Amino acid sequence: MTSPARPARPASPSRPKGAGQWALGYSEPLNANERMKKDQGGLEVRDRILNLYPHTGFDGIDPQDLRGRFRWWGLYTQRRPGIEGGRTAVLEPEELDDSYFMQRIRLDGGRMTADQLRVIADISIRFGRDVADVTDRQNIQLHWIRIEDVPAIWGALEGAGMTTAEACGDTPRVILGCPLAGVDGDEVIDGSAAIDEVVERFVGDPTLANLPRKFKTAISGCVDHCTLHEINDIAFVGVVHPELGAGYDLWVGGGLSTNPKLGVRLGAFVPPQRVSEVWHGVASLFRDYGYRRLRTRARLKFLVADMGAEWVRATLEKEYLTAPLPDGPPPAPPRNEGRDHIGVHRQRDGRNAVGFAPRAGRVSGTILHAVADLADRFGQGRIRATTTQKLVILDVADEAVAPLETELAALDLVVRPSVFRRGTMACTGIEFCKLAIVETKANARDLIEELERRLPDFDEPIGINVNGCPNACARFQVADIGLKGSLVPDDAGEMVEGFQVHLGGHLGTRSRLGRKSRGLKVTADGLLDYVVGLLETYRGERADGESFADWAQRADEASLAAAGSAARGADGRQ
């Protein structure tokens, strides 16, 4: 049997003109970023990083390399300490730069062995002042890295089978995968082999190392949809075709930042053996048709929004694939709306996956070294990072679960966290990031501690995402409570660090962006009271079984804005 015939396709929409699309003949660079990439590809800076700049030191690095090509190898300059958020947008790049780097380590599928995690931990301790962050894209980031130490760092990582290649830049970024891939008995399909094939064939491929902007991928058969297919440039979502068996539903065009858009289904079924071909086809389509004139419109989501899913699928099949794709079914609703794999989960082999929560992703090399040791002692040395800044140890026997929990708790890593620790994420923030306007990690930590103290019996799942700027590294638009760092007026009318509040965002059964109101802003000093008041208001007004996201979408705007003052009174604060 064959899939049912597709409906006739509508006429192609008119193509935007003059947006720098290579496929339309715009081969000359239209901005400084495109010129930099044409002058020399980002991957080609590797030799200078290894053999030149460690001898010249930071001051000898070419500016195009420093703020451009270095990103192709996962290196960003850190923010110079002491620069307040109000100066982020007015200073020149060289005024914001510190002489240290953030180094992002690429972990496709979030997969690590204990030995690999020890290498990362040792690098953090030796070269990075014992600081490390687990990101919401399953990477680990280190800070305080000197250019003189990068050759030794890369040597250690590559010797352990890891890389920093294309961890940043206008490239195919790390591929998200389910932390329980291959062990969850309920999964639709194990995406591990597909991830490995795409990485092996195409990461570092010079023909895909000059995309219009970043290109984010998710490949997963997880029944919880933990890789957040709705907000990736391309996503392969596990489904079962009624005739062809298990494979993937193809989504494109998701992304957040300053112009958030949820991805769209192409209605195409991708058999497992065609994942790498289809991935390469979509990446190539983006390379050739993506907008290159304005960086602010260079993501795939803008092309998909302008041209439509039908055009994307038709162009993909006609110009980039060896054969059309069959139509296929949509994915089933997620089993668990939380999507985080925290807690103890039975594996298909009878052992357990134990997921645990740091505080908003911040850990240290010392802690990571201890986690690696625990993974060997209580499991089989397999560790996974999640898309919610958490970690999972696989292969834990029933009798080892309780002692493992105890050992993790001693490291302040909690297997059964409060809803606040479980649901709070934060981006890097002003501590290290040159784009940030406010502090994030410390604000998130304080939020967790204060909410646990003031609302100890609150047990409804709640996502609180703290972002230092509009770029949505912590996905504030799709959180129950999304906090976007900005300058806001205090009671005296002075502009101070604070947050614009987005409410009711959600990914899952009813995916939607959070509700935004220009007047819904809170100072950093008033944040704790505001969130407490907001959650208390929700508990007082919700209908039976109503989630926070659903309530926030219908709640009266005036009561949302006034939530903080009620909490201050209840807690006896002035």
Side-chain angles (χ1 to χ4, degrees):
M1 295 179 65
T2 59
S3 296
R6 298 184 211 147
R9 300 189 186 278
S12 296
S14 60
R15 296 175 176 176
K17 304 296 183 183
Q21 308 98 308
W22 285 359
L24 301 186
Y26 294 95
S27 58
E28 284 303 306
L30 297 175
N31 59 53
N33 295 88
E34 290 297 311
R35 170 56 65 187
M36 177 270 294
K37 292 186 289 182
K38 185 171 184 179
D39 288 345
Q40 187 181 61
L43 292 173
E44 297 177 54
V45 76
R46 177 182 170 91
D47 183 68
R48 292 192 292 279
I49 293 174
L50 290 175
N51 300 310
L52 175 62
Y53 295 136
H55 303 289
T56 68
F58 184 87
D59 292 338
I61 301 173
D62 180 273
Q64 279 200 342
D65 286 346
L66 181 66
R67 301 182 190 96
R69 299 183 188 95
F70 269 39
R71 299 181 184 185
W72 271 246
W73 291 95
L75 290 164
Y76 280 99
T77 50
Q78 285 185 185
R79 185 189 191 94
R80 185 174 297 172
I83 299 176
E84 61 188 21
R87 303 181 67 199
T88 296
V90 300
L91 295 179
E92 295 298 322
E94 58 270 18
E95 296 176 289
L96 285 167
D97 285 335
D98 199 2
S99 57
Y100 296 92
F101 294 90
M102 178 273 284
Q103 175 71 79
R104 182 176 295 158
I105 300 165
R106 181 184 186 117
L107 299 171
D108 292 284
R111 296 170 293 178
M112 296 167 281
T113 66
D115 287 341
Q116 288 175 325
L117 186 57
R118 284 191 196 93
V119 169
I120 296 172
D122 289 342
I123 292 170
S124 171
I125 294 168
R126 181 180 175 191
F127 300 112
R129 301 189 186 182
D130 204 17
V131 176
D133 289 327
V134 182
T135 78
D136 59 9
R137 288 198 67 81
Q138 299 180 296
N139 299 301
I140 292 179
Q141 293 179 172
L142 306 180
H143 302 283
W144 299 110
I145 302 301
R146 302 186 314 142
I147 188 63
E148 292 85 352
D149 297 326
V150 170
I153 291 169
W154 286 3
L157 290 171
E158 292 167 8
M162 293 178 285
T163 185
T164 70
E166 298 185 337
C168 310
D170 297 347
T171 66
R173 301 287 185 89
V174 65
I175 299 177
L176 300 185
C178 176
L180 305 190
V183 303
D184 185 352
D186 293 332
E187 70 183 348
V188 177
I189 187 172
D190 179 0
S192 303
I195 292 174
D196 290 341
E197 184 177 0
V198 172
V199 170
E200 182 178 352
R201 291 184 61 186
F202 301 121
V203 171
D205 180 351
T207 68
L208 294 177
N210 180 2
L211 301 176
R213 282 287 299 276
K214 66 186 76 172
F215 186 69
K216 296 183 175 181
T217 303
I219 303 175
S220 174
C222 175
V223 292
D224 292 335
H225 300 176
C226 69
T227 55
L228 315 173
H229 58 274
E230 302 96 330
I231 54 173
N232 282 272
D233 292 280
I234 181 172
F236 297 82
V237 186
V239 294
V240 177
H241 192 283
E243 300 153 17
L244 303 174
Y248 300 92
D249 189 41
L250 182 60
W251 292 58
V252 297
L256 297 178
S257 193
T258 52
N259 289 282
K261 298 182 186 300
L262 297 179
V264 297
R265 292 185 63 233
L266 295 190
F269 177 79
V270 183
Q273 65 273 18
R274 295 193 67 186
V275 169
S276 64
E277 176 200 1
V278 173
W279 182 93
H280 183 265
V282 175
S284 301
L285 184 153
F286 176 44
R287 176 197 62 202
D288 299 341
Y289 285 96
Y291 306 152
R292 293 176 181 262
R293 176 180 289 278
L294 298 175
R295 294 282 291 177
T296 54
R297 283 184 54 81
R299 291 290 299 275
L300 179 61
K301 62 186 178 182
F302 293 104
L303 178 66
V304 173
D306 287 345
M307 305 302 291
E310 291 285 354
W311 178 88
V312 173
R313 180 171 176 180
T315 304
L316 172 68
E317 293 178 335
K318 180 180 179 182
E319 299 183 20
Y320 297 96
L321 300 185
T322 57
L325 295 167
D327 292 337
R335 172 186 61 183
N336 168 26
E337 297 278 341
R339 299 177 160 193
D340 61 6
H341 298 303
I342 296 304
V344 180
H345 301 274
R346 180 72 67 181
Q347 298 179 184
R348 63 169 53 136
D349 63 2
R351 293 176 294 181
N352 300 280
V354 179
F356 48 94
R359 295 182 187 269
R362 173 57 54 84
V363 287
S364 67
T366 301
I367 288 175
L368 292 179
H369 209 293
V371 169
D373 291 345
L374 292 176
D376 274 339
R377 284 176 54 200
F378 295 103
Q380 294 188 343
R382 295 201 293 172
I383 302 148
R384 302 290 183 262
T386 80
T387 60
T388 57
Q389 301 180 336
K390 311 298 192 296
L391 293 169
V392 182
I393 292 176
L394 301 183
D395 310 317
V396 180
D398 287 348
E399 63 273 16
V401 169
L404 174 58
E405 284 194 57
T406 300
E407 298 258 14
L408 287 169
L411 300 170
D412 193 31
L413 301 172
V414 185
V415 174
R416 305 175 198 275
S418 70
V419 293
F420 303 119
R421 183 187 281 216
R422 184 169 187 166
T424 299
M425 298 199 309
C427 71
T428 301
I430 203 171
E431 181 182 11
F432 297 119
C433 178
K434 295 181 297 181
L435 300 178
I437 302 168
V438 302
E439 170 56 50
T440 56
K441 294 292 188 184
N443 275 316
R445 181 197 64 224
D446 292 346
L447 266 176
I448 292 167
E449 292 176 356
E450 188 72 2
L451 290 170
E452 287 175 343
R453 181 183 74 84
R454 294 170 67 177
L455 298 174
D457 59 342
F458 191 97
D459 59 1
E460 293 293 325
I462 190 76
I464 305 174
N465 292 16
V466 187
N467 218 87
C469 77
N471 287 315
C473 293
R475 308 195 298 257
F476 65 88
Q477 298 104 325
V478 292
D480 290 304
I481 302 174
L483 302 169
K484 181 185 77 173
S486 60
L487 297 179
V488 304
D490 63 10
D491 291 340
E494 297 292 326
M495 300 303 289
V496 298
E497 291 185 9
F499 299 91
Q500 182 165 38
V501 182
H502 294 237
L503 296 173
H506 186 70
L507 295 177
T509 306
R510 296 182 298 280
S511 295
R512 58 176 173 243
L513 301 173
R515 173 180 175 181
K516 173 185 173 183
S517 169
R518 287 185 178 274
L520 201 53
K521 300 179 180 180
V522 60
T523 66
D525 287 343
L527 179 61
L528 296 175
D529 285 328
Y530 177 76
V531 175
V532 169
L534 187 65
L535 295 178
E536 289 177 333
T537 303
Y538 158 62
R539 289 204 296 187
E541 295 185 359
R542 66 181 174 180
D544 288 344
E546 187 175 32
S547 70
F548 180 92
D550 288 342
W551 169 80
Q553 288 289 327
R554 69 167 179 82
D556 177 77
E557 189 167 303
S559 67
L560 295 177
S565 58
R568 284 194 296 273
D571 198 49
R573 298 184 176 204
Q574 300 299 317

